[in-house]
């Protein structure tokens, strides 16, 4: 998340254009593509948990999609509103703690 944040801030104008003004372009589905990648990573993590003898309950695909989408929208609010970078880094730490705790609870860990 920190690498994404720094990349977005290094390319702030371009990222804001994609996030706020890309409807009708090939970039309009960026967040949906990121959600799919994150969902695949979640499934890989669940396989690892199972291999370690700590299987997680099945997560409803619709709920999974909603939670991951919400996570990315939360993250991109920092970029859209051009939070000062120091504040944004602190917010990312808090967001990561928040989402990690939630995912661990849902996954029964």
């Amino acid at each position: 998340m920190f690498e994404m944040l720094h990349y977005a801030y290094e390319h702030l104008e371009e990222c804001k254009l994609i996030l706020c003004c890309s409807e009708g372009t090939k970039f309009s589905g960026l967040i949906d593509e990121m959600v799919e990648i994150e969902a695949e990573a979640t499934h890989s993590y669940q396989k690892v948990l199972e291999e370690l003898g700590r299987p997680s309950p099945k997560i409803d695909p619709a709920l999974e999609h909603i939670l991951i989408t919400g996570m990315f929208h939360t993250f991109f609010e920092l970029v859209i509103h051009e939070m000062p970078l120091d504040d944004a880094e602190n917010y990312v730490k808090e967001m990561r703690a928040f989402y990690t705790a939630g995912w661990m609870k849902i996954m029964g860990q």
Side-chain angles (χ1 to χ4, degrees):
M1 295 296 271
F2 286 104
E3 288 179 32
M4 283 177 38
L5 180 69
H6 291 138
Y7 182 88
Y9 274 64
E10 289 167 12
H11 304 91
L12 190 59
E13 186 174 325
E14 295 89 344
C15 288
K16 283 185 69 174
L17 280 171
I18 290 170
L19 294 169
C20 301
C21 304
S22 66
E23 188 172 333
T25 74
K26 66 181 182 178
F27 300 106
S28 64
L30 174 70
I31 292 177
D32 288 331
E33 291 176 32
M34 294 175 77
V35 168
E36 289 302 316
I37 292 167
E38 185 67 20
E40 290 173 16
T42 300
H43 301 157
S44 294
Y45 180 66
Q46 287 177 303
K47 288 177 186 173
V48 169
L49 288 174
E50 189 170 334
E51 291 169 3
L52 294 172
R54 299 179 64 183
S56 70
K58 181 169 174 26
I59 301 172
D60 179 272
L63 176 61
E64 178 183 55
H65 179 83
I66 290 165
L67 292 173
I68 295 171
T69 301
M71 180 185 71
F72 280 117
H73 280 283
T74 300
F75 174 81
F76 285 125
E77 281 292 298
L78 303 171
V79 176
I80 291 167
H81 295 288
E82 297 185 34
M83 298 289 185
L85 184 57
D86 288 342
D87 291 343
E89 288 173 335
N90 288 328
Y91 295 149
V92 166
K93 286 179 194 173
E94 294 296 323
M95 290 163 38
R96 186 169 57 183
F98 175 83
Y99 281 102
T100 298
W103 280 110
M104 296 301 277
K105 175 72 175 171
I106 287 174
M107 292 184 170
Q109 303 301 306

